[in-house]
């Protein structure tokens, strides 16, 4: 039994964990889930304590945050519905606003005032443009969306009122496509070790609880609004990973620009 355990340990160290794209990707999943969860979990307290919202008025904005995840994922999933390039281009504009319409419909049924949410359509436009700019390259998409995520959090920290609320809420949009980007980059080139690498990545979703706790701890010293600096650091790492992993994969003969153009 001891010999088998030693062999298993050697196998782990000599297989999936020897790939830098996976090891760095594990940290990326950790901080990605962390910023996604911590942004949403701290938003109600910020709106109630700092902005004076009644508890009943906070719920639609939290639902908008999670609806933003749906909006972004529908945008990123258009290729699953058709392999026709022209139709994909159309769906990239239609899908996010269809998802947004569902959010509006649900809140209309709940008799919430929809007027504050119409302006969000402009923020969705930023998502669509960023998606188009990525050209299907997961590393480029991760870099662009992480950069916009940093900008959104900075705006939320440096402004007040509804501008800050929309900024923090929009983080849901720019987190929405990052899981598949990170996952794709992290397991690329792993070959027979892909399954093992995937298991390691899934383990790192614990970042959701740990990063949320860290932001809560930081808020005791900075206040809730400025505690979002923790999220900025998370996005900064994701941007670094996007840049670093591109070079790592190219050295292994994996170029997503070539894959994307070849696939089309």
């Amino acid at each position: 039994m001891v010999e088998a355990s030693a062999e298993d340990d050697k196998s782990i160290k000599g297989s999936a964990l020897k790939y830098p794209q996976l090891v760095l990707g594990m940290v990326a999943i950790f901080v990605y889930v962390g910023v996604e969860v911590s942004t949403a979990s701290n938003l109600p307290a910020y709106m109630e304590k700092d902005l004076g919202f009644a508890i009943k008025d906070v719920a639609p904005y939290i639902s908008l945050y999670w609806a933003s995840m749906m909006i972004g994922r529908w945008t990123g999933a258009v290729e699953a519905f058709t392999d026709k390039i022209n139709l994909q281009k159309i769906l990239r504009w239609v899908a996010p606003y269809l998802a947004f319409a569902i959010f509006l419909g649900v809140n209309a049924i709940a008799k919430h005032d929809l007027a504050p949410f119409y302006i969000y359509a402009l923020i969705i436009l930023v998502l669509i443009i960023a998606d188009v700019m990525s050209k299907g390259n997961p590393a480029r998409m991760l870099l662009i969306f992480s950069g916009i995520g940093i900008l959104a959090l900075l705006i939320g920290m440096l402004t007040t009122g509804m501008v800050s609320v929309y900024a923090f809420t929009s983080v849901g949009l720019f987190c929405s496509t990052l899981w598949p980007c990170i996952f794709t980059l992290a397991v690329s080139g792993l070959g027979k070790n892909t399954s093992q690498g995937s298991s390691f990545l899934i383990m790192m979703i614990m970042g959701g609880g740990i990063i949320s706790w860290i932001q809560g701890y930081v808020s005791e010293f900075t206040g809730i609004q400025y505690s979002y600096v923790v999220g900025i650091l998370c996005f900064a790492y994701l941007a670094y990973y996007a840049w670093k992993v591109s070079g790592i994969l190219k050295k292994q003969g994996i170029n997503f620009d070539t894959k994307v153009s070849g696939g089309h």
Side-chain angles (χ1 to χ4, degrees):
M1 292 295 293
V2 176
E3 289 183 2
S5 177
E7 288 180 2
D8 289 344
D9 184 60
K10 182 178 179 181
S11 174
I12 291 174
K13 291 182 179 179
S15 55
L17 291 178
K18 73 181 180 182
Y19 294 93
Q21 63 264 40
L22 174 66
V23 176
L24 295 173
M26 289 167 64
V27 179
I29 288 289
F30 183 92
V31 299
Y32 152 70
V33 178
V35 69
E36 176 186 286
V37 174
S38 64
T39 300
S41 61
N42 285 281
L43 187 57
Y46 169 65
M47 294 179 68
E48 292 171 32
K49 296 179 181 179
D50 292 20
L51 301 182
F53 275 70
I55 295 177
K56 65 180 179 64
D57 295 327
V58 172
Y61 294 92
I62 303 306
S63 70
L64 178 59
Y65 181 88
W66 294 112
S68 295
M69 300 292 293
M70 177 179 70
I71 292 168
R73 285 176 180 168
W74 281 27
T75 305
V78 296
E79 292 181 0
F81 297 100
T82 178
D83 57 357
K84 296 180 179 179
I85 303 303
N86 290 334
L87 185 55
Q88 287 178 8
K89 291 179 179 178
I90 296 172
L91 288 176
R92 277 197 168 86
W93 293 87
V94 174
Y97 286 111
L98 178 59
F100 185 51
I102 292 174
F103 160 79
L104 293 175
V106 170
N107 279 272
I109 293 171
K111 300 186 183 305
H112 293 141
D113 181 14
L114 301 183
F117 302 116
Y118 295 138
I119 189 68
Y120 204 71
L122 295 177
I123 303 177
I124 294 174
L125 182 61
V126 176
L127 167 80
I128 297 171
I129 294 172
D131 181 67
V132 171
M133 289 174 60
S134 72
K135 299 179 180 178
N137 184 316
R140 187 181 295 115
M141 179 176 287
L142 180 58
L143 181 61
I144 293 172
F145 278 61
S146 297
I148 300 175
I150 291 172
L151 180 60
L153 288 177
L154 282 173
I155 292 173
M157 290 170 60
L158 300 176
T159 59
T160 57
M162 290 308 301
V163 174
S164 65
V165 173
Y166 290 132
F168 287 141
T169 303
S170 71
V171 171
L173 282 176
F174 307 118
C175 277
S176 59
T177 62
L178 299 192
W179 174 278
C181 290
I182 298 168
F183 212 97
T184 298
L185 294 166
V187 301
S188 291
L190 267 61
K192 65 180 182 180
N193 300 310
T194 299
S195 179
Q196 184 187 64
S198 299
S199 299
F200 286 134
L201 290 171
I202 296 298
M203 288 169 53
M204 303 311 289
I205 62 174
M206 61 184 174
I210 296 174
I211 298 295
S212 295
W213 175 82
I214 291 174
Q215 183 172 346
Y217 180 76
V218 170
S219 71
E220 294 180 8
F221 303 94
T222 65
I224 299 173
Q225 186 173 18
Y226 293 108
S227 71
Y228 279 98
V229 67
V230 173
I232 289 177
L233 294 176
C234 290
F235 276 125
Y237 176 81
L238 293 174
Y240 163 77
Y241 177 66
W243 167 77
K244 183 69 175 179
V245 76
S246 295
I248 291 172
L249 293 177
K250 284 181 180 178
K251 289 181 179 179
Q252 297 176 16
I254 302 171
N255 187 326
F256 277 96
D257 282 323
T258 302
K259 279 190 173 185
V260 170
S261 61
H264 289 175

